[in-house]
Amino acid sequence: MVGAGSSMIDRPLTAACGIAEAAAPGCVHVHTVFDEATFTATHIARDPATGKAAIIDSVLDFDPASGRTSTGCADQVIAYVEAAGLAVEWLLETHVHADHLSAAPYLQERLGGTLAIGRDILTVQSVFGSIFNEGPDFARDGSQFDHLLEDGERFRLGSLDAIALHVPGHTPADMAYIIGDTAFIGDTLFMPDYGTARVDFPGGDARTLYRSIHRLLALPDQTRVFLCHDYKAPDRDRFVWQTTIGEERRDNVHVHPGITEDAFAAMREARDATLGMPRLILPSIQINMRGGHLPEPEDNGTRYLKLPLNSL
Ligand SMILES: [Fe+2]
């Protein structure tokens, strides 16, 4: 387990990197920008042999009091990519985030890359299109993204083999991306001392998450794992976003050996009943279900978000 208290940390290629069965051998270099405002880890995965990169789960800063967006986090990503001389091939979203806005369109404009998410984004767009009473101008066919990844779809990052796995439960559309030797698992598992993702958003399901998690835990023990979030566990004073499948299988406080699906579902549902909605859920979902694009301006040139009352 490694981590850092600073907002940025470099993770050099090491000889110890493991090899995931689901992908061909290959060590990927990972650099992480951590946003303490939303506890989100944006990972920049690169193939050292070619300098091709994927940016996974970016953050557009948002101040809900003023309704103002800004690009401090995304600009850190751009600065790293440019300084390292990387060519961005992919902008990958693990799911429609409920706690931060995606900066994917801003990054794509400056760095290029193919914006991709899982095929089940269509389900999320349908559910939240209804909740926000979106009109016909809101496409529910995933066309805001350049590519919709299927479960088991193989793709390349430079010379590295990669595979997309559908791991629903937190939301219907969650994906994990295994690139070379390393798994980027979004909101499924958190650090072993913190547990697992909540399942109480529309379309979430504890039993589905349990099965998705066990799909990930079937990867080889040495597989490196990068998380989308860290909130610090009660006994930990620093943020950590990297672990291994072996550590998760042995030590995860919610799914360690002996925890049945029934026990997990009961625990997860009881815990979720105590959680408030994420601070940015309403703005986040309206923007992220559009691939990170802001809603079109109204006739006065201003863009607006909706605030559905008594809906969530
Ligand atoms: Fe999430």
Side-chain angles (χ1 to χ4, degrees):
M1 180 189 304
V2 295
S6 63
S7 62
M8 296 178 73
I9 185 168
D10 213 4
R11 304 209 175 282
L13 181 65
T14 71
C17 63
I19 296 171
E21 249 173 23
C27 288
V28 65
H29 179 291
V30 182
H31 174 90
T32 298
V33 175
F34 189 75
D35 174 36
E36 290 199 24
T38 63
F39 308 103
T40 302
T42 297
H43 303 300
I44 304 156
R46 90 159 103 140
D47 170 22
T50 63
K52 298 287 173 60
I55 299 171
I56 302 156
D57 291 330
S58 61
V59 175
L60 182 71
D61 304 311
F62 182 66
D63 174 29
S66 63
R68 187 161 289 280
T69 62
S70 56
T71 57
C73 274
D75 289 337
Q76 288 185 59
V77 173
I78 292 170
Y80 178 79
V81 167
E82 290 181 342
L86 306 181
V88 174
E89 273 194 328
W90 292 98
L91 298 154
L92 299 174
E93 298 287 334
T94 56
H95 62 297
V96 171
H97 305 277
D99 52 12
H100 68 272
L101 281 58
S102 167
Y106 175 75
L107 293 173
Q108 188 176 44
E109 202 179 299
R110 281 150 185 83
L111 300 173
T114 298
L115 174 57
I117 198 167
R119 163 73 57 187
D120 280 54
I121 179 70
L122 274 62
T123 303
V124 174
Q125 288 180 328
S126 172
V127 168
F128 282 101
S130 296
I131 289 174
F132 288 106
N133 196 28
E134 297 287 347
D137 57 327
F138 172 61
R140 293 156 170 84
D141 59 0
S143 56
Q144 300 88 344
F145 298 82
D146 301 316
H147 186 70
L148 302 181
L149 288 154
E150 308 280 353
D151 180 38
E153 183 172 337
R154 292 178 181 273
F155 60 102
R156 305 273 294 177
L157 176 64
S159 64
L160 299 174
D161 283 337
I163 188 167
L165 299 180
H166 184 214
V167 286
H170 170 61
T171 77
D174 282 69
M175 300 297 282
Y177 302 117
I178 301 171
I179 303 175
D181 62 304
T182 300
F184 300 88
I185 65 170
D187 290 8
T188 48
L189 295 158
F190 293 130
M191 287 302 292
D193 59 3
Y194 195 86
T196 56
R198 65 194 296 175
V199 297
D200 58 330
F201 301 147
D205 181 73
R207 292 176 183 279
T208 304
L209 179 61
Y210 182 88
R211 290 169 203 160
S212 292
I213 285 170
H214 279 271
R215 194 175 181 202
L216 293 172
L217 294 181
L219 293 168
D221 270 6
Q222 69 271 27
T223 306
R224 296 189 306 167
V225 169
F226 285 85
L227 313 174
C228 184
H229 296 293
D230 185 55
Y231 306 97
K232 291 180 184 170
D235 295 329
R236 177 152 56 80
D237 62 2
R238 61 183 187 144
F239 293 108
V240 184
W241 48 78
Q242 181 182 352
T243 180
T244 65
I245 288 294
E247 286 182 345
E248 292 282 19
R249 185 189 299 114
R250 285 187 301 272
D251 301 331
N252 188 289
V253 293
H254 290 172
V255 289
H256 58 77
I259 303 291
T260 63
E261 183 177 313
D262 284 348
F264 174 78
M267 176 284 302
R268 191 66 264 175
E269 286 160 8
R271 183 179 168 97
D272 289 350
T274 70
L275 301 176
M277 281 290 128
R279 187 172 63 99
L280 298 181
I281 185 170
L282 294 171
S284 295
I285 289 179
Q286 284 176 86
I287 288 168
N288 296 340
M289 71 184 187
R290 293 176 161 84
H293 294 282
L294 306 181
E296 287 300 309
E298 297 194 3
D299 56 10
N300 63 355
T302 300
R303 303 173 193 272
Y304 290 87
L305 294 172
K306 286 185 175 179
L307 191 63
L309 300 179
N310 304 314
S311 285
L312 292 185

